[in-house]
Amino acid sequence: MPRLACFDLDNTLIDRDRAFRDWVEWWVRREGLGPEAVDWLHEHDGGGYRPREELFASVKERFGLEADIATLVDAYDREYPVFASIDPAVVPGLASLRTAGWRVAVITNGGVAQQSIKLERTGIAAVVDYCCISEAVGVRKPDPRIFKIAAARTGATVADGWMVGDHPAYDIAGGIAAGLSTILIGNHHPAAATPDRVPTHHFASVLQAFPVILAS
Ligand SMILES: [Mg+2]
């Protein structure tokens, strides 16, 4: 049975922080807000983990926007993912795993509308076997069931498989609970790195993960 290589999306395959920064610059200018709005949004973003309804409720109140919260969130879901940026070596890296016989899945906590745009625009969707978006399957990382769903959908086994991601709780603890070896990318959430969330490897970039998985 083919083996499974799973990848988180935001701040693993794509540079989420940079995409958010670019969107903030663009949006603040379009809304005609002052430069203080840029700093304010970064402070209140919660690294992307704060619910967007909550974020835009605060934005609306702080800057006196007229649009209702649902409209602001809806526009964000369509406009922000367009700024998704990816290292050009990532797509060939994913493709090389498939060529070597691996089943490749993206496993991301998030909404279908927003994550689908990122996956399509960056070219990731075209080179992986399955994109597992938590909103679509009704399960979120670190619940090990989401990794089992990816295995079932791709016809792979989790035995001797990998999970690669930037979050110690969602990606690393979740992957370990599902029986996968794990690779932590970057240092985005140092406070979440506990002794029971120690990855098999820790690299600065996802590009370093591809040869390690290929050699395993
Ligand atoms: Mg992430």
Side-chain angles (χ1 to χ4, degrees):
M1 211 173 186
R3 291 153 74 192
L4 182 65
C6 308
F7 295 84
D8 167 55
L9 181 61
D10 288 316
N11 281 338
T12 297
L13 293 175
I14 67 172
D15 188 343
R16 188 267 164 194
D17 292 345
R18 178 172 159 186
F20 186 73
R21 224 166 31 237
D22 290 349
W23 171 83
V24 165
E25 296 283 343
W26 171 85
W27 187 82
V28 162
R29 209 176 311 124
R30 188 189 68 183
E31 295 295 318
L33 303 176
E36 75 279 7
V38 171
D39 295 335
W40 190 95
L41 276 159
H42 286 295
E43 267 167 48
H44 292 78
D45 171 43
Y49 289 94
R50 188 174 180 199
R52 299 296 94 169
E53 286 73 16
E54 202 182 295
L55 175 66
F56 279 100
S58 303
V59 170
K60 182 176 161 65
E61 193 187 321
R62 170 67 179 76
F63 297 100
L65 301 182
E66 283 180 15
D68 58 45
I69 296 162
T71 304
L72 292 167
V73 172
D74 185 60
Y76 172 83
D77 278 343
R78 281 180 287 109
E79 293 163 352
Y80 147 70
V82 172
F83 292 89
S85 64
I86 187 168
D87 184 303
V90 168
V91 166
L94 291 168
S96 73
L97 288 173
R98 271 176 104 193
T99 303
W102 288 82
R103 294 289 155 87
V104 181
V106 176
I107 302 185
T108 174
N109 284 351
V112 172
Q114 194 190 111
Q115 300 305 69
S116 298
I117 296 171
K118 292 180 192 171
L119 289 159
E120 293 293 336
R121 286 187 64 95
T122 54
I124 293 170
V127 294
V128 299
D129 294 287
Y130 176 50
C131 295
C132 187
I133 302 173
S134 63
E135 187 185 60
V137 296
V139 185
R140 295 171 62 82
K141 295 177 289 186
D143 188 325
R145 284 179 299 171
I146 198 165
F147 304 94
K148 306 275 159 85
I149 290 170
R153 295 280 177 97
T154 59
T157 172
V158 294
D160 301 316
W162 292 88
M163 172 62 196
V164 183
D166 72 297
H167 202 292
Y170 303 141
D171 299 317
I172 303 308
I176 291 169
L180 298 159
S181 296
T182 57
I183 299 175
L184 180 67
I185 303 301
N187 192 28
H188 294 276
H189 308 281
T194 59
D196 58 331
R197 296 168 182 166
V198 177
T200 315
H201 302 287
H202 184 185
F203 299 135
S205 161
V206 70
L207 299 179
Q208 296 164 277
F210 298 128
V212 169
I213 296 173
L214 283 168
S216 72

